[in-house]
């Protein structure tokens, strides 16, 4: 293999730039030519491909977002779109592709591999919702952004004796909510993996109130529902007045934490090593601090269960 390419796809996440940098630099270090594909699969089908040099990825390791930009593409989901993408790569003599993205991007990479073009998947999403890895690139940064927000909201909740509902991202996964709720000392954490009863939640809040606590923080994963709806239910059923904070896209931006940068660098370098060994169709992750690679097709569309012990702990500590 002499030429490889890298792209970012789906939702962006902090650390994607560090991963691109690792692929480019490790590739050049290993004697390869490395190409950047702009605008994800959409740009790939259109041939938006440029050779990258060592300097092309200078000064990006600390930046959020992705220098290659990202996009979503319906056309790429078709066989025709995938063949178009492969022909653009082949026209430049490129023989392997590193895809940094979430679950949908993995499915795309699996399809290209199926059609004979070797791809490697790197987990780039804040949601931590990809199987075969304990952590995705961007999760740690998003977690710290949310914890910082919870700390700030706690100040005002305490000053005004208020109950706050903080809605966080995660799509169908509760990882951001669980980890940030635990780290932020939330009284209640609502995640899609654990169906909740409003009555039970009120009992928990009331037990705090009965020992003199006047403010509470509820962390709500977006996969459960909206903060607006929950506030309406709490008012309607229990007369509990709440304030809402929907954190939104600030969770996706910002400079990556040291941990995300190291993770991105390790995973990016491993992707190049696999391609050099002639291996495609692998998804790279980190399990128990070891870098692993698993079958991309088996990983795509799946999610590992949440660490149950963390959920139990969050319940035990928020009595
Ligand atoms: P995130 O979870 O961070 O939003 P993602 O990678 O899951 O990222 P998606 O929009 O689901 O984001 O997927 C990105 C792109 O991957 C899609 O726009 C599409 O082009 C491609 N893709 C998604 N699913 C498939 C599929 N089943 N087959 C082929 N390509 C797909």
């Amino acid at each position: 293999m002499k030429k490889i390419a890298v792209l970012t796809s789906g939702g962006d996440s902090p650390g994607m730039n560090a991963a691109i940098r690792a692929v480019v630099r490790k590739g050049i270090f290993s004697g390869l030519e490395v190409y950047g594909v702009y605008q994800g699969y959409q740009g790939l089908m259109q041939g938006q491909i440029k050779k990258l040099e060592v300097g092309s990825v200078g000064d990006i390791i600390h930046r959020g977002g992705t220098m290659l930009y990202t996009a979503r593409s319906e056309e790429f989901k078709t066989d025709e779109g995938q063949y178009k993408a492969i022909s653009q790569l082949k026209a430049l003599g490129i023989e392997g592709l590193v895809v940094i993205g979430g679950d949908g991007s993995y499915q795309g990479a699996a399809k290209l591999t199926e059609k004979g073009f070797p791809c490697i998947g790197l987990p780039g999403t804040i949601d931590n919702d990809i199987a075969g890895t304990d952590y995705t690139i961007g999760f740690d940064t998003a977690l710290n952004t949310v914890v910082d927000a919870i700390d700030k909201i706690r100040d005002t909740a305490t000053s005004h004796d208020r109950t706050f509902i903080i809605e966080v991202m995660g799509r169908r996964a509760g990882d951001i909510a669980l980890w940030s709720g635990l780290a932020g000392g939330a009284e209640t954490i609502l995640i899609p993996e654990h169906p909740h009863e409003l009555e039970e939640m009120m009992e928990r809040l009331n037990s705090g109130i009965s020992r003199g606590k006047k403010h509470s923080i509820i962390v709500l994963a977006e996969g459960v529902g909206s903060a607006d709806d929950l506030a309406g239910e709490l008012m309607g059923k229990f007369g509990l007045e709440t304030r809402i904070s929907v954190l939104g896209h600030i969770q996706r931006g910002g400079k990556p934490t040291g941990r995300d940068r190291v993770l991105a660098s390790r995973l990016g370098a491993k992707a190049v090593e696999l391609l050099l060994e002639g291996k495609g169709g692998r998804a790279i992750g980190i399990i128990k601090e070891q870098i692993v690679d698993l079958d991309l097709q088996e990983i795509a569309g799946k999610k590992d269960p949440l660490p149950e012990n963390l959920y139990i702990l969050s319940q035990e500590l928020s009595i």
Side-chain angles (χ1 to χ4, degrees):
M1 199 164 288
K2 292 273 183 291
K3 294 182 183 181
I4 62 168
V6 55
L7 64 76
T8 48
S9 166
D12 65 326
S13 73
M16 278 184 162
N17 275 328
I20 296 166
R21 173 180 176 272
V23 171
V24 172
R25 296 243 167 122
K26 176 78 180 187
I28 294 173
F29 176 83
S30 311
L32 297 172
E33 279 184 23
V34 187
Y35 290 75
V37 179
Y38 291 78
Q39 308 278 5
Y41 292 128
Q42 187 63 37
L44 178 56
M45 290 182 301
Q46 295 164 348
Q48 294 184 44
I49 307 171
K50 229 171 69 183
K51 191 171 167 216
L52 299 175
E53 308 295 345
V54 173
S56 316
V57 291
D59 210 23
I60 62 165
I61 194 164
H62 61 303
R63 294 187 202 282
T66 159
M67 66 162 275
L68 292 177
Y69 304 95
T70 180
R72 299 189 199 270
S73 163
E74 280 308 308
E75 187 190 348
F76 180 75
K77 291 185 180 171
T78 63
D79 285 340
E80 200 191 18
Q82 290 154 23
Y83 283 121
K84 210 192 262 185
I86 291 174
S87 72
Q88 294 284 5
L89 290 163
K90 287 195 168 158
L92 291 169
I94 296 167
E95 296 163 290
L97 176 67
V98 180
V99 172
I100 309 167
D103 188 57
S105 307
Y106 268 34
Q107 301 202 28
K111 295 271 171 64
L112 290 183
T113 307
E114 236 175 71
K115 292 184 167 57
F117 198 91
C119 293
I120 303 285
L122 287 197
T125 168
I126 63 167
D127 302 333
N128 212 36
D129 61 350
I130 294 185
T133 189
D134 291 341
Y135 304 106
T136 56
I137 298 165
F139 172 65
D140 187 61
T141 306
L143 166 63
N144 281 287
T145 300
V146 174
V147 172
D148 186 50
I150 294 176
D151 291 348
K152 288 175 174 147
I153 289 167
R154 180 189 280 277
D155 288 344
T156 173
T158 312
S159 305
H160 289 275
D161 293 341
R162 274 181 182 147
T163 297
F164 264 86
I165 302 171
I166 305 175
E167 184 188 314
V168 304
M169 283 182 166
R171 300 230 276 194
R172 282 155 300 155
D175 297 55
I176 294 178
L178 176 58
W179 284 69
S180 67
L182 188 54
E187 276 66 31
T188 300
I189 301 170
L190 302 177
I191 54 177
E193 293 84 350
H194 281 270
H196 66 281
E197 296 288 342
L198 279 189
E199 284 72 16
E200 190 210 316
M201 190 177 110
M202 273 313 295
E203 266 172 39
R204 296 176 73 78
L205 292 179
N206 283 333
S207 95
I209 292 165
S210 66
R211 62 179 175 82
K213 199 170 185 172
K214 293 185 181 138
H215 67 273
S216 291
I217 290 177
I218 300 167
V219 175
L220 170 70
E222 66 179 348
V224 173
S226 78
D228 249 340
D229 289 347
L230 180 62
E233 278 188 82
L234 290 174
M235 176 52 96
K237 283 197 178 150
F238 308 103
L240 177 70
E241 193 186 335
T242 54
R243 292 285 187 278
I244 288 173
S245 183
V246 180
L247 299 186
H249 281 77
I250 61 160
Q251 295 163 92
R252 288 251 291 264
K255 62 183 206 160
T257 58
R259 215 179 156 77
D260 268 333
R261 296 182 205 189
V262 171
L263 177 65
S265 301
R266 293 179 74 189
L267 300 186
K270 178 72 178 179
V272 175
E273 283 170 16
L274 289 179
L275 286 175
L276 281 168
E277 288 166 21
K279 289 185 188 154
R282 309 299 291 169
I284 306 182
I286 185 163
I287 296 178
K288 296 193 169 78
E289 296 308 317
Q290 299 299 312
I291 306 297
V292 296
D293 61 283
L294 300 164
D295 189 279
L296 187 58
Q297 230 145 7
E298 274 176 32
I299 295 297
K302 298 209 182 95
K303 179 192 183 311
D304 293 332
L306 266 186
E308 191 61 22
N309 57 343
L310 278 195
Y311 185 74
I312 294 167
L313 181 64
S314 76
Q315 298 260 314
E316 289 172 351
L317 300 187
S318 61
I319 43 175

